[in-house]
Amino acid sequence: MIVTLMNLLRACWRPSSNQHARAGSDVAGRQDGLLWYKDTGQHVNGEFSMAVVQANNLLEDQCQIESGPLSFLDSGPYGTFVGVYDGHGGPETACYINDHLFHNLKRFASEQNSMSADVLKKAYEATEDGFFSVVTKQWPVKPQIAAVGSCCLVGVICGGILYVANVGDSRVVLGRHVKATGEVLAVQLSAEHNVSIESVRKELQSMHPEDRQIVVLKHNVWRVKGLIQVCRSIGDAYLKKSEFNREPLYTKFRLREPFHKPILSSEPSISVQPLQPHDQFLIFASDGLWEHLTNQEAVDIVHSSPRSGSARRLIKAALQEAAKKREMRYSDLKKIDRGVRRHFHDDITVIVVFLDSSLVSRASTYRGPSVSLRGGGVNLRSNTLAPYASQM
């Protein structure tokens, strides 16, 4: 069982390598202190830019872009898959998603020989079930893994259609050109599941009418059972299965009363829409970006600058805002090491996907460049890792 956990965690500690990147120059991206980035690359439907900045002692954000076959069939769908996984309580769930979600999607796309909302839903279910198997195996020796979870945002471009699936509070925003004015407007495409949003609180309360404490205002922040801000996630077994909400789980995660149905859900909100010629780019990012930039501010930054380095530019803008809020210089913020850095901003992941309308409109069987790339992080020696209890 310990071997299983260590194999899972090694995937998180290892920075990007050629095994995860097989196209273009600078295939694995570059590392600059706590920032990992790949300024530009080519996917089936255009160009892309990626960047990740670490704030936590252990990087809890994971991400990937996969462009090429979306199934295991030669005749199957072809396109681009983007995933942003914002972990909480530790990196294990986000790492597991990074290793298994795309494989699960290809499996179900092969069964249906197509891409669909149903394929995405089944891929999420299979990934949740798989991680719960890990939790079950590790519970006797590592019970705190039951309190680890992750938001999960996915976008799939296939045959001129954009599929978006989300649990948690990561976000994808579309930059759409308005011909009449020349502006590029921000259009949010993902539904978020954070109980700071009144409609989300009301939905959760309607699902648990018997529990008047299902959402609690704690330290001026709304939280599910006073514990967590998101009401949908992958993992977080301690709020989905009562057998994981007991000793030896830490007291702060244990509820006073037993529960008989899941408190959190892993069911994604899914949207399906055709891409239009005036749809210029997509910004996929964890909530660490959106804490500091509005949708329109992010779109304006991408639209007004060269494509190369777009993701890194967005992270810089967010960090500049974080420094400004603390009345400090951006240059001084960059000197703060991981762990302490979390007091100033969260881990931030950004993937900007540019849309070439001539490529997007082609059939899903178009064979363009294949890409498989994961965002990187600081490579930590095993004896330098802080215990997960301190990360929760």
Side-chain angles (χ1 to χ4, degrees):
M1 288 186 289
I2 293 176
V3 172
T4 301
L5 182 62
M6 291 306 297
N7 288 337
L8 177 63
L9 295 180
R10 281 194 196 100
C12 302
W13 302 339
R14 184 179 57 236
S16 294
S17 66
N18 286 343
Q19 113 181 54
H20 298 308
R22 299 188 298 272
S25 61
D26 190 22
V27 289
R30 297 180 182 274
Q31 193 83 38
D32 179 12
L34 296 177
L35 175 71
W36 174 93
Y37 62 93
K38 182 171 176 62
D39 279 342
T40 187
Q42 193 75 24
H43 67 105
V44 169
N45 306 111
E47 296 174 81
F48 71 89
S49 178
M50 295 174 71
V52 180
V53 66
Q54 180 170 350
N56 286 290
N57 194 41
L58 295 175
L59 179 66
E60 294 184 337
D61 275 17
Q62 299 290 316
C63 65
Q64 66 187 130
I65 183 167
E66 308 283 345
S67 195
L70 299 176
S71 77
F72 297 115
L73 305 174
D74 291 339
S75 61
Y78 215 79
T80 297
F81 171 100
V82 178
V84 172
Y85 319 123
D86 181 1
H88 46 260
E92 295 100 324
T93 311
C95 288
Y96 183 89
I97 297 170
N98 218 11
D99 285 340
H100 294 86
L101 179 58
F102 182 59
H103 182 275
N104 288 332
L105 178 133
K106 291 179 74 172
R107 176 161 60 92
F108 291 113
S110 298
E111 291 179 3
Q112 297 188 13
N113 198 21
S114 66
M115 185 52 57
S116 67
D118 185 57
V119 166
L120 275 166
K121 183 179 179 181
K122 288 180 176 178
Y124 271 66
E125 289 175 353
T127 305
E128 169 92 334
D129 291 345
F131 187 71
F132 271 36
S133 295
V134 173
V135 173
T136 300
K137 291 177 182 177
Q138 291 301 319
W139 174 258
V141 294
K142 188 74 175 179
Q144 307 318 317
I145 198 172
V148 180
S150 181
C151 301
C152 182
L153 171 65
V154 165
V156 178
I157 304 168
C158 182
I161 305 294
L162 172 64
Y163 303 83
V164 173
N166 192 43
V167 294
D169 56 8
S170 295
R171 185 184 304 173
V172 57
V173 173
L174 170 70
R176 175 172 285 166
H177 181 257
V178 180
K179 189 174 182 179
T181 64
E183 297 175 288
V184 176
L185 294 182
V187 182
Q188 184 170 326
L189 301 180
S190 52
E192 294 174 22
H193 312 112
N194 189 308
V195 293
S196 65
I197 303 168
E198 184 178 6
S199 60
V200 175
R201 289 199 302 275
K202 289 183 175 179
E203 180 185 18
L204 191 61
Q205 288 165 340
S206 69
M207 295 169 61
H208 299 269
E210 75 290 345
D211 188 352
R212 298 181 63 181
Q213 299 294 312
I214 189 68
V215 286
V216 177
L217 189 62
K218 188 175 182 180
H219 304 305
N220 210 32
V221 177
W222 286 102
R223 296 180 184 273
V224 181
K225 303 301 291 184
L227 293 169
I228 187 171
Q229 288 183 265
V230 293
C231 59
R232 300 194 198 187
S233 68
I234 303 294
D236 294 309
Y238 76 119
L239 290 176
K240 294 176 180 176
K241 294 188 176 184
S242 58
E243 61 260 39
F244 297 121
N245 199 289
R246 58 181 175 84
E247 291 185 346
L249 188 70
Y250 291 145
T251 304
K252 65 179 179 179
F253 296 118
R254 299 206 302 266
L255 303 181
R256 293 179 180 179
E257 302 293 332
F259 58 93
H260 305 290
K261 63 179 180 180
I263 295 171
L264 303 186
S265 168
S266 63
E267 182 177 352
S269 293
I270 299 176
S271 66
V272 181
Q273 64 180 74
L275 289 168
Q276 305 297 332
H278 50 273
D279 295 339
Q280 295 197 340
F281 54 83
L282 298 160
I283 304 171
F284 295 83
S286 56
D287 71 318
L289 182 78
W290 309 114
E291 287 176 7
H292 302 292
L293 299 179
T294 67
N295 294 351
Q296 192 61 53
E297 285 171 342
V299 165
D300 289 345
I301 289 169
V302 174
H303 173 59
S304 62
S305 305
R307 289 185 172 188
S308 179
S310 292
R312 184 156 53 112
R313 207 169 289 118
L314 285 170
I315 285 182
K316 181 178 180 180
L319 297 187
Q320 287 174 328
E321 282 299 311
K324 184 178 178 181
K325 290 173 183 176
R326 289 300 192 93
E327 299 182 340
M328 64 187 301
R329 292 179 298 185
Y330 168 64
S331 58
D332 290 334
L333 175 63
K334 289 200 301 179
K335 296 174 185 176
I336 300 173
D337 202 1
R338 56 186 171 86
V340 178
R341 182 81 82 90
R342 183 62 182 88
H343 296 290
F344 299 85
H345 67 84
D346 198 356
D347 295 335
I348 303 175
T349 294
V350 180
I351 303 177
V352 181
V353 176
F354 294 95
L355 304 169
D356 184 328
S357 59
S358 65
L359 297 176
V360 170
S361 61
R362 296 190 190 186
S364 64
T365 53
Y366 165 67
R367 293 326 193 226
S370 291
V371 175
S372 179
L373 181 66
R374 299 185 187 186
V378 173
N379 190 23
L380 304 175
R381 300 188 306 276
S382 59
N383 62 359
T384 68
L385 295 173
Y388 286 103
S390 67
Q391 300 300 305
M392 295 184 180

